[in-house]
Amino acid sequence: MLEAVNVRYEYHGGKVALDGVDLQVREGEVVALMGSNGAGKTTLMKVLVGLLRPKSGKVVLDGSEISELSSKEVARRIGYVPQIADSLFFLESVREEMRYALRNFGIGDADHRVEFLLERFGLSELRDRSPFSLSGGQKKRLSIAVVLAWDPKYVLLDEPTLGQDKSGREAIAWTIESLRREGRGVVVATHDVEFVSELDPQVTLLSSGRVLASGQAYEVLSDEKLMKSANLLPPQSVIISKQLTRLGIRTTHRVNELVSSIATLMRCKEFGDKHR
Amino acid sequence: MATSIADLLRYREIESPLIRLDPRVKLLISIYLFTSTLIFDRPPLLSAIVSTAVLLTVGLTLHSIEASRRLLRTIRALSFFLAFVVLLNVLGFVTQGLNPLTLEFVAITSSQLLRFVAAIVSFSFFLLTVSPEALAATLRSMRLPHDYVFAMTAAVRFAPLFLEEIQEVIDSQRLRGVDYSTRNPVKRLRNYVRAFVPVVINALKRSFEMAEALEVKCYGAVRNRTSFYVLRLRKSDVMVLTATTAVFASLVTLRLFL
Ligand SMILES: Nc1ncnc2c1ncn2[C@@H]1O[C@H](COP(=O)(O)OP(=O)(O)O)[C@@H](O)[C@H]1O
Ligand SMILES: [Mg+2]
């Protein structure tokens, strides 16, 4: 388990970015860290991976405090994909970028995995290109693939869907799902409510450096008051189901259940039209 | 380390009556302070007194705990150089056949350390208290061509960003298993060279972006541009200027007759 316990962090100049934050990620669990811009998501991720040292509180990785582990040991087990991928790359080609960390961690014989990940993230065609010539979305996908290459036990993704088109989003959703199935722990920092509502993870809602709520995605995302105080818009499915409820139709906000009840209603209407 | 040096170079709004002085006056004061630390190199006692006076002046002017704390952080970041000064002194003493374990050595070395710190602080005084806009206005009032002024202020603005970015790159490499705590100097050097590549490339990219941004804002469309921000000396500026110049002049005189 990767765990933040009562973490407080202040930036130079006294800005309190995190205050008394708790977060737990178990193996095989996906946690969505949600909150509006400036809520403290990125700061918490950097604390979790040991880039920022909390002013108080601690981060515990599988029973040992990360301040007592070397940065290499932490990095081997926690893969962090930063929000901005610009300062990440420095090698000649996309493929070399993929292999770089493998060499540092002494992992051999991973060519197959590298090719698989490149394929998965739609980068195989670009494998010999310089990473500096990639577009923003491609760089972001490469930064995720690079981290998955060494197969860390926990994966932290900071705003992974930012600037991604449909297939990019699908690749990322698929990746998170398969990490969960493989028993990895995943933290996704995002304010993309639609993306989260598709994943159905545990949600921790952050606002001004404090945890407002945590729970199953649908509980949190459908709580209008909570979402409002976190300055987030509920997902479309929730808005639709709320309006249907107001019309006296009882339904859920799970997309597939919502679809099937709407489909039933439409069929009834069709049937009625035909037999009028 | 990179971030604490970045902190030294970055201007932040500080509230204090002396901060509102004309930037040209501040530049002169900075030069006076800096020169004073330079010319009083002997005897150790006098040099120490002058350096302390310089430090006190800067400290009182900054007039804020936050600013003083930043100065202390800077000095800590410079501790490597301070240690180097001590080492050089020891070597100097030993090669001249003198014993470094004497009161004389301690006096000379500590006055030198004090001078060194005072010189750095008096220099950073200007950067700490003058915003990039005010710096630009100062340079323009010296009749420097606008293109150069602009390039210089842009550089001042970007220097801390550059250092921050080095830190960011080092962090991201650490997260990919690069061992920055290695004691092997060759490996260490190679790590830093690796970190340098993306920083330089990003800087180049940023300069192109900036060029585009300038085009969009019609930079250079008018030959004789006017300034929104025009410097004018106020009464308080003249008073401070006269007083500090008088003090500085007497210090120089004192030094000449010593
Ligand atoms: N380097 C920094 N120095 C000072 N304040 C910062 C720095 N980075 C972030 N902050 C502040 O900390 C708060 C949290 O930022 P961040 O963790 O990046 O939020 P999020 O990722 O949720 O958008 C914000 O108010 C931001 O302005
Ligand atoms: Mg962020």
Side-chain angles (χ1 to χ4, degrees):
Chain A
M1 185 163 74
L2 175 62
E3 188 180 20
V5 185
N6 200 11
V7 163
R8 180 185 173 84
Y9 188 83
E10 286 169 30
Y11 280 104
H12 278 321
K15 163 85 198 171
V16 179
L18 296 173
D19 190 10
V21 171
D22 293 308
L23 185 84
Q24 296 184 343
V25 202
R26 290 173 194 79
E27 286 111 87
E29 185 178 56
V30 178
V31 174
L33 194 57
M34 302 201 67
S36 56
N37 292 326
K41 305 181 292 292
T42 300
T43 309
L44 180 53
M45 292 229 153
K46 287 186 177 171
V47 168
L48 281 174
V49 76
L51 282 183
L52 301 177
R53 198 156 291 179
K55 289 273 151 18
S56 66
K58 59 184 176 180
V59 176
V60 184
L61 169 61
D62 293 332
S64 36
E65 268 191 55
I66 62 162
S67 51
E68 278 150 27
L69 302 171
S70 77
S71 68
K72 196 167 173 176
E73 282 172 300
V74 174
R76 178 69 186 84
R77 284 193 267 166
I78 309 177
Y80 170 56
V81 182
Q83 184 169 346
I84 298 161
D86 272 347
S87 40
L88 222 52
F89 306 122
F90 49 88
L91 294 167
E92 304 75 44
S93 69
V94 167
R95 200 200 322 234
E96 283 305 304
E97 290 290 348
M98 294 288 292
R99 288 180 180 156
Y100 180 68
L102 296 173
R103 266 201 303 274
N104 290 329
F105 289 125
I107 302 170
D109 198 28
D111 279 355
H112 186 69
R113 189 176 169 79
V114 166
E115 288 306 321
F116 169 75
L117 285 168
L118 287 177
E119 183 72 38
R120 186 71 242 173
F121 286 94
L123 298 166
S124 340
E125 242 98 281
L126 308 170
R127 62 163 77 81
D128 295 317
R129 281 258 294 272
S130 158
F132 294 106
S133 70
L134 302 186
S135 79
Q138 289 166 338
K139 263 189 212 163
K140 184 91 201 193
R141 269 178 280 148
L142 176 59
S143 69
I144 300 174
V146 155
V147 166
L148 296 182
W150 76 81
D151 200 17
K153 188 169 172 193
Y154 299 93
V155 179
L156 314 183
L157 301 165
D158 201 347
E159 308 273 7
T161 57
L162 217 65
Q164 292 301 324
D165 57 15
K166 177 170 168 294
S167 58
R169 279 170 80 103
E170 279 167 4
I172 293 165
W174 180 88
T175 306
I176 294 173
E177 199 45 62
S178 56
L179 285 170
R180 162 155 54 189
R181 250 182 286 119
E182 289 165 16
R184 316 257 165 244
V186 184
V187 184
V188 190
T190 182
H191 52 246
D192 189 337
V193 283
E194 299 296 338
F195 186 70
V196 169
S197 78
E198 284 159 36
L199 277 180
D200 193 19
Q202 287 295 117
V203 169
T204 293
L205 203 57
L206 217 55
S207 171
S208 311
R210 290 167 180 276
V211 175
L212 273 191
S214 42
Q216 197 58 38
Y218 282 106
E219 285 167 34
V220 178
L221 295 183
S222 61
D223 189 331
E224 269 174 313
K225 234 188 236 153
L226 209 55
M227 294 293 280
K228 202 167 190 175
S229 52
N231 202 11
L232 291 173
L233 208 62
Q236 285 295 326
S237 61
V238 168
I239 296 174
I240 293 170
S241 84
K242 281 264 151 79
Q243 293 189 359
L244 285 175
T245 312
R246 223 165 283 149
L247 294 174
I249 298 164
R250 232 185 295 157
T251 176
T252 71
H253 24 251
R254 279 170 204 279
V255 173
N256 39 10
E257 289 174 31
L258 194 59
V259 166
S260 74
S261 54
I262 292 175
T264 314
L265 286 173
M266 305 272 280
R267 273 199 208 104
C268 284
K269 185 173 174 294
E270 244 171 54
F271 185 80
D273 286 349
K274 243 184 242 163
H275 296 268
R276 190 168 311 140
Chain B
M1 166 116 172
T3 29
S4 42
I5 295 183
D7 224 32
L8 157 76
L9 298 172
R10 174 168 310 164
Y11 168 79
R12 282 207 195 97
E13 212 70 48
I14 314 169
E15 248 332 294
S16 139
L18 284 169
I19 299 296
R20 262 173 263 134
L21 284 174
D22 188 288
R24 290 167 294 183
V25 176
K26 283 191 261 185
L27 178 62
L28 267 182
I29 295 180
S30 205
I31 292 172
Y32 288 166
L33 292 172
F34 189 65
T35 319
S36 313
T37 61
L38 287 191
I39 57 178
F40 284 97
D41 55 344
R42 258 166 324 116
L45 184 63
L46 188 58
S47 157
I49 291 173
V50 172
S51 308
T52 313
V54 166
L55 284 174
L56 277 179
T57 316
V58 175
L60 290 177
T61 317
L62 289 181
H63 185 70
S64 98
I65 297 168
E66 169 59 18
S68 326
R69 220 185 269 146
R70 283 177 56 204
L71 271 182
L72 285 181
R73 269 208 298 273
T74 312
I75 294 170
R76 218 183 306 148
L78 290 171
S79 51
F80 172 77
F81 298 99
L82 296 180
F84 197 64
V85 170
V86 175
L87 186 73
L88 274 186
N89 266 354
V90 172
L91 284 180
F93 258 64
V94 172
T95 48
Q96 283 172 27
L98 298 169
N99 180 6
L101 292 170
T102 54
L103 212 58
E104 195 199 356
F105 172 80
V106 174
I108 290 181
T109 309
S110 48
S111 85
Q112 274 181 359
L113 289 181
L114 211 59
R115 254 180 90 210
F116 184 69
V117 172
I120 300 282
V121 164
S122 60
F123 185 70
S124 69
F125 166 77
F126 181 69
L127 289 176
L128 277 174
T129 57
V130 174
S131 68
E133 293 80 27
L135 175 64
T138 312
L139 295 172
R140 259 202 303 276
S141 71
M142 295 173 184
R143 310 232 174 281
L144 266 144
H146 180 72
D147 285 352
Y148 293 99
V149 173
F150 186 81
M152 266 179 87
T153 47
V156 167
R157 238 184 259 259
F158 278 108
L161 268 184
F162 200 69
L163 290 169
E164 241 166 51
E165 203 161 298
I166 293 180
Q167 189 64 50
E168 225 166 76
V169 171
I170 288 177
D171 282 348
S172 75
Q173 299 198 0
R174 224 193 248 143
L175 293 178
R176 285 163 79 185
V178 179
D179 193 4
Y180 271 91
S181 57
T182 175
R183 286 190 188 285
N184 182 340
V186 179
K187 267 193 191 158
R188 252 187 124 120
L189 194 66
R190 202 159 51 203
N191 288 344
Y192 282 107
V193 170
R194 283 258 151 102
F196 217 65
V197 174
V199 173
V200 169
I201 290 181
N202 280 341
L204 284 176
K205 254 192 191 156
R206 191 170 297 140
S207 70
F208 285 120
E209 277 166 18
M210 193 152 153
E212 271 172 24
L214 288 174
E215 294 286 333
V216 169
K217 290 174 186 163
C218 305
Y219 180 90
V222 184
R223 189 150 282 258
N224 291 320
R225 48 179 291 148
T226 54
S227 293
F228 179 64
Y229 204 51
V230 182
L231 294 177
R232 250 182 228 105
L233 285 182
R234 286 170 307 175
K235 207 189 267 173
S236 56
D237 292 319
V238 177
M239 269 157 56
V240 172
L241 186 61
T242 322
T244 48
T245 308
V247 172
F248 181 67
S250 31
L251 276 177
V252 173
T253 323
L254 179 69
R255 181 74 189 87
L256 285 178
F257 288 99
L258 224 61

